[in-house]
Amino acid sequence: MYGNLSIAEPVRGVEQEDPEKLAEFEERIARGEKIEPHDWMPREYRRQVLRMIEQHAHSEIIGALPEGTWITRAPGFRRKLALMAKVQDEVGHAQLLYSAAETLGKPREQMINDLLSGKAKYSNVFNYPALTWADTAIIAWLIDAGAIINQTLNAKGSYGPYARALERICKEEAFHLKYGYDNVVTLASGTPRQRQMLQEALNRWWKPIMHFFGPPDHMSVHSEKLLRWKVKMASNDEMRQMFLDAYVPKIWELGLTIPDPNLRKNPETGRWEYSDPDWDEFWRVINGNGPCNRERLAVRRMADELGAWVRRALLKPDHRYVEPLF
Ligand code: BYC
């Protein structure tokens, strides 16, 4: 059992597969072996892993935007340098993840087209604006914290190229977390105005962060299969609980208030209880109707158009480097 999810039942979507091959595949996964691109895999496994890696890659590339808008306004040269390095890392993560996704047969260009057309999903959190410098601090601390919980688990997953990409990504995320925490502590121990700015940013980001781990287990569409095939190593609710366990005490330590009067750890169950974080808003945002979805995609489309001539020049088939004669 994973939270409310039972994974004992036969998985749906594999009825057409050769039962012997399927059994062998599932045994490999049960033994903890990695599945590599040229290994046999059920079509549904390929589809699910591709869906997840692709969404993750898009999240990294769109995720660079809310913080990226603060590079020119970062307070001081050192913070500007650190923020630039972080944003660059996030875009690098997208490159690693697009490469991992390509091993499953979908060309990168098609993935980018699906992102730009609005067909593909990416993480809900990046459809909200970063209104102040404190918002960037909360993103770098708490969203990166959530991402580390999710990704250190997924890094133990069954698909080799994704697991290996995540190992490297997690190392870089650990730096981002420290950078974010340093910014949060600076604001929390600053002037009353700075503390207020931080509190207001936390108020704005709390709900999106609760949504970040995905819908509650009973609403999750894919968890059952993904857990069975060890693509996901914990359910959405379990990851949310891990995050609350690790970070609620740290947030309280800084003297901040979490904007949920019902948040408490039930001493009997050992689980956090919280107000319903408005799952209707979550579905609206991930389906293209959040506060910044249109703006985020417009920026990416502009970048795509402005970079088109570079791609053409690099990929032009008759373009050869000719040694100068003199
Ligand atoms: N946002 O069946 P479910 C970063 C969708 S970026 C949007 O539970 P699953 C960073 C889900 O796709 C790191 N959509 O899904 C970068 C599905 O829709 P479809 C981002 C979401 O896959 C820059 C439907 O809801 N991390 O760290 O079992 C700066 C049903 O959900 C979300 C990843 O991408 C969401 N939050 O579990 C700073 C991690 N949640 O496809 C930081 C990789 C759910 O049926 N992904 N949906 O149309 C995962 O681990 C899993 O996909 C999730 C969801 C846990 C997120």
Side-chain angles (χ1 to χ4, degrees):
M1 283 293 265
Y2 288 85
N4 295 325
L5 298 166
S6 159
I7 54 165
E9 296 297 314
V11 70
R12 283 186 297 273
V14 292
E15 296 77 10
Q16 310 303 319
E17 303 293 354
D18 175 336
E20 262 180 46
K21 283 187 174 162
L22 181 61
E24 203 180 303
F25 169 82
E26 293 203 322
E27 276 161 25
R28 289 190 62 196
I29 290 191
R31 285 197 297 271
E33 285 179 31
K34 296 281 181 230
I35 305 300
E36 297 299 337
H38 296 295
D39 293 347
W40 185 90
M41 62 185 87
R43 272 157 286 194
E44 182 58 10
Y45 178 89
R46 182 183 298 275
R47 188 183 77 83
Q48 285 286 351
V49 179
L50 174 60
R51 180 190 65 82
M52 210 167 106
I53 307 178
E54 187 182 343
Q55 285 179 6
H56 190 165
H58 296 327
S59 303
E60 298 280 358
I61 211 151
I62 297 282
L65 299 177
E67 289 173 280
T69 56
W70 278 90
I71 290 175
T72 53
R73 295 171 286 171
F77 188 60
R78 286 167 66 96
R79 293 198 192 282
K80 191 192 289 279
L81 275 181
L83 179 58
M84 274 167 55
K86 178 181 190 299
V87 167
Q88 191 174 338
D89 283 353
E90 308 296 2
V91 177
H93 297 169
Q95 302 304 338
L96 285 173
L97 291 163
Y98 283 126
S99 298
E102 278 186 311
T103 62
L104 291 156
K106 183 166 177 179
R108 183 176 303 223
E109 201 178 12
Q110 208 178 323
M111 291 188 254
I112 301 288
N113 288 344
D114 286 349
L115 172 67
L116 298 182
S117 71
K119 183 176 168 204
K121 285 198 170 65
Y122 56 86
S123 186
N124 67 300
V125 281
F126 304 120
N127 291 308
Y128 292 85
L131 296 179
T132 69
W133 174 249
D135 293 60
T136 69
I138 294 286
I139 295 173
W141 186 36
L142 293 181
I143 292 185
D144 279 78
I148 289 174
I149 288 176
N150 168 287
Q151 289 164 193
T152 45
L153 286 161
N154 288 352
K156 298 190 190 84
S158 61
Y159 190 58
Y162 188 35
R164 289 189 286 275
L166 286 177
E167 253 177 60
R168 165 155 177 193
I169 291 173
C170 287
K171 291 199 177 102
E172 293 183 353
E173 297 290 18
F175 276 106
H176 301 172
L177 183 79
K178 289 195 176 107
Y179 156 82
Y181 188 59
D182 180 60
N183 284 340
V184 165
V185 170
T186 304
L187 293 169
S189 50
T191 63
R193 178 72 195 101
Q194 285 172 319
R195 289 185 62 81
Q196 186 193 344
M197 195 164 79
L198 184 62
Q199 180 63 59
E200 286 168 2
L202 178 65
N203 296 350
R204 279 193 285 278
W205 286 90
W206 187 251
K207 192 165 36 167
I209 289 170
M210 290 295 279
H211 290 162
F212 178 78
F213 301 94
D217 290 351
H218 67 276
M219 288 189 204
S220 170
V221 185
H222 307 290
S223 286
E224 193 186 328
K225 269 177 210 163
L226 295 178
L227 288 165
R228 179 187 179 108
W229 285 333
K230 295 192 184 166
V231 177
K232 246 165 111 161
M233 302 301 279
S235 78
N236 301 356
D237 283 333
E238 282 176 329
M239 288 188 281
R240 215 174 344 262
Q241 289 287 329
M242 287 178 208
F243 171 79
L244 294 170
D245 259 339
Y247 287 92
V248 169
K250 290 190 172 69
I251 296 170
W252 282 341
E253 238 172 53
L254 293 170
L256 295 167
T257 306
I258 295 175
D260 179 358
N262 297 317
L263 183 75
R264 67 184 269 271
K265 190 164 187 171
N266 182 325
E268 277 157 34
T269 60
R271 290 179 78 78
W272 289 90
E273 292 169 359
Y274 42 83
S275 311
D276 184 280
D278 188 358
W279 291 106
D280 289 343
E281 175 174 326
F282 168 79
W283 296 111
R284 266 198 315 278
V285 170
I286 69 167
N287 285 308
N289 296 308
C292 296
N293 298 58
R294 281 169 198 81
E295 181 188 322
R296 299 285 182 243
L297 290 189
V299 172
R300 284 308 319 162
R301 278 189 206 112
M302 186 180 73
D304 192 67
E305 279 160 26
L306 292 177
W309 71 270
V310 180
R311 290 192 300 280
R312 266 199 311 275
L314 287 171
L315 299 173
K316 206 168 166 224
D318 60 356
H319 180 89
R320 303 262 189 286
Y321 175 68
V322 182
E323 279 293 326
L325 289 175
F326 306 101

